[in-house]
Amino acid sequence: MDALLADDLARLPELLGMTREYATRFLTGLAERPVAHVEWRAVSKAVGLPAQGQGLEGALAEFGARWEEGLSASAGPRYLGFVTGGATPAGLAGDWLTAAFDQNAASGGDSCAAELEKETLGWLRELFGLGAAHHGAFVSGASMSNTVGLAIAREWVGRRLGVRVSEAGAAALGPVEVLSGSPHSSVGKALSVLGIGRERLRTVPTLPGREAVDVDALAAALAALDGRPAIVVANAGTVNTVDFDDLRAIAALRDRFDFWLHVDAAFGGFAALSPAHAHLTAGLDLADSVCVDLHKWLNVPYDSAVQFTRHLELQTAVFHNASPYLGAPDPADPDFLHLTPENSRRLRALPAWLTLAAYGAAGHREIVVRNTASAASLAAALDAHPAFRVLAPARLNVVCFTLADRPTPARLAALSSAVTASGEAFLTPTVYAGAPALRAAFSNWRTTEADTRRVLDALVAAAGS
């Protein structure tokens, strides 16, 4: 054994303790760390591959000297860009243990890892109000969850047309119509990967002043297909304003039209936990496939999401791995390697299992309720301030706003840069209803009303500078 490896093995308890202390210093320093670090390129210059290593202790020291300063405080309470959760203590512990256990959760042939994933999926089904007909699997994120769901949808369309796409290929299928009101950008990416093509995504008119699809317009678009099967991508929470399609009304259209219903509930699915917002997810169980991202509002570390579908046989047809050493999939209970693009699968379920076991539905409900209250508070404060204009109601956890005076892209970029430079907060830009805007997305378990006030103060200061 290499001498450095042997020494690290002999010192493993000491080195793990040192790593724990390093992580603890980072996490306890989040309040003082700039929320985003845009000048990180000045921190470190690239070096070549070391011919000789220096052991874990030396490598940690070099990382601290060259790279740590450039990391953001994305795990902290005022990182409001994108839709980024943190990691609850239990979620963090689960991720550390996942690496320590190093299980391949592809199948149940050698450990209980797959059964733990199944139990976790059952808990999540209950959390989101999905029935037992929905089978699930962990994937890396919402983009992959959407891709998996749409791959199953592609197979379904093929079966309706007498084509086994998983065997004959997408070229044998012909054009596929994909309809959506306000599709996330990852949907277009998935269609590109799947050979359906970005151009097949047709945006359907939305309700006035909303991002929710006009169900009557959707019905008209489906009627125009003259019976050809299609895919409808509905939203349970849009990116800009967390708007929700009427899932029940869309599902009811299947009495008249032939389509697969995929619901992108990447973070909006967590509205099911909030007594004041649970009605927004009504009809989620009626979907043929569902995407939910866990490293957003469940607050487990990256990368973690789930994909659910009521069509297990089609999913297995798409993703099964035909190899003698892996075995044929059990039609009633296929191993996970037959359900997603991955053969080798990290035990992503463990952080989710631990945080659900640690805090239960009630603990995660409190996070959702607190975050939505923070969003409502910031929206009200911005709406009352003469420098800002809120562009849409804060329906759940995102505040979409712009400058009241001359909201040009350059002025919004300057405002965003000033807030980032202050170190107090980080927000990401968007365009809503033709207006350049900023988004503040609340999904971190640490965020309190005091953090919301600090974000508001930073915005007001930046707007006045």
Side-chain angles (χ1 to χ4, degrees):
M1 182 181 289
D2 177 86
L4 289 169
L5 273 174
D7 184 60
D8 278 0
L9 178 59
R11 299 177 58 204
L12 188 58
E14 174 193 354
L15 293 171
L16 289 179
M18 186 182 301
T19 306
R20 176 185 62 81
E21 292 170 3
Y22 193 114
T24 300
R25 285 196 301 273
F26 181 88
L27 292 173
T28 55
L30 284 175
E32 291 75 39
R33 175 178 290 271
V35 175
H37 201 306
V38 294
E39 300 298 332
W40 64 269
R41 289 174 180 82
V43 174
S44 178
K45 298 294 187 289
V47 300
L49 173 68
Q52 298 293 327
Q54 51 192 319
L56 175 55
E57 183 174 4
L60 279 174
E62 181 176 349
F63 175 82
R66 296 184 54 227
W67 291 106
E68 185 192 332
E69 184 184 342
L71 298 178
S72 73
S74 56
R78 296 185 308 284
Y79 189 99
L80 306 183
F82 310 104
V83 184
T84 302
T88 63
L92 176 59
D95 203 60
W96 283 4
L97 289 174
T98 296
F101 297 151
D102 199 22
Q103 303 290 295
N104 182 359
S107 68
D110 65 338
S111 80
C112 65
E115 290 304 313
L116 183 142
E117 181 166 341
K118 291 174 186 177
E119 179 168 281
T120 311
L121 289 164
W123 290 358
L124 292 167
R125 274 198 303 269
E126 184 176 349
L127 201 71
F128 301 128
L130 299 176
H134 277 278
H135 296 266
F138 273 73
V139 291
S140 59
S143 295
M144 183 53 68
S145 182
N146 280 331
T147 301
V148 171
L150 292 172
I152 307 168
R154 182 187 63 180
E155 187 73 9
W156 176 86
V157 171
R159 298 290 179 92
R160 305 298 283 178
L161 298 174
V163 177
R164 296 182 69 91
V165 181
S166 55
E167 302 298 329
L173 181 59
V176 177
E177 298 297 331
V178 183
L179 309 176
S180 185
S182 301
H184 187 268
S185 59
S186 65
V187 172
K189 179 189 247 187
L191 296 178
S192 174
V193 169
L194 295 170
I196 295 174
R198 299 177 194 267
E199 292 182 357
R200 305 314 305 174
L201 180 58
R202 293 176 50 192
T203 52
V204 179
T206 55
L207 295 171
R210 298 276 302 278
E211 289 186 303
V213 73
D214 183 326
V215 177
D216 289 338
L218 177 61
L222 289 165
L225 300 179
D226 294 326
R228 185 174 175 86
I231 300 170
V232 171
V233 179
N235 287 299
T238 56
V239 169
N240 281 335
T241 67
V242 203
D243 213 343
F244 285 73
D245 290 336
D246 186 337
L247 301 181
R248 282 181 172 168
I250 293 173
L253 294 178
R254 288 184 296 198
D255 293 338
R256 299 157 51 196
F257 307 108
D258 199 19
F259 64 91
W260 175 284
L261 177 56
H262 174 78
V263 177
D264 185 348
F267 64 98
F270 286 91
L273 276 72
S274 167
H277 301 91
H279 65 281
L280 296 171
T281 62
L284 187 63
D285 183 55
L286 301 173
D288 293 294
S289 54
V290 177
C291 157
V292 186
D293 212 341
L294 303 184
H295 53 236
K296 290 182 169 63
W297 227 346
L298 193 67
N299 278 259
V300 295
Y302 284 98
D303 52 12
S304 181
V306 284
Q307 186 279 325
F308 290 102
T309 184
R310 293 191 290 113
H311 300 267
L312 185 62
E313 185 271 329
L314 293 178
Q315 184 172 13
T316 308
V318 175
F319 294 107
H320 79 275
N321 195 317
S323 175
Y325 82 95
L326 295 174
D330 178 348
D333 188 22
D335 287 335
F336 286 112
L337 68 92
H338 299 298
L339 299 180
T340 75
E342 299 171 307
N343 276 3
S344 301
R345 304 176 70 254
R346 194 171 190 264
L347 185 52
R348 295 187 181 100
L350 182 53
W353 187 96
L354 270 177
T355 199
L356 290 169
Y359 313 117
H364 286 280
R365 179 177 300 111
E366 189 278 331
I367 296 171
V368 170
V369 170
R370 175 158 40 89
N371 285 167
T372 55
S374 291
S377 174
L378 180 63
L382 290 174
D383 200 40
H385 197 283
F388 301 100
R389 179 164 60 95
V390 176
L391 294 175
R395 296 185 178 91
L396 197 64
N397 64 321
V398 173
V399 183
C400 185
F401 65 98
T402 191
L403 288 166
D405 180 42
R406 295 179 294 119
T408 63
R411 295 196 73 220
L412 265 293
L415 174 67
S416 176
S417 295
V419 172
T420 300
S422 75
E424 283 292 282
F426 179 70
L427 293 80
T428 40
T430 190
V431 175
Y432 177 68
L438 293 178
R439 295 169 58 260
F442 292 82
S443 49
N444 189 288
W445 67 279
R446 293 173 179 259
T447 306
T448 66
E449 186 58 32
D451 294 302
T452 307
R453 288 193 296 271
R454 287 179 65 173
V455 172
L456 175 64
D457 290 345
L459 284 166
V460 170
S465 61

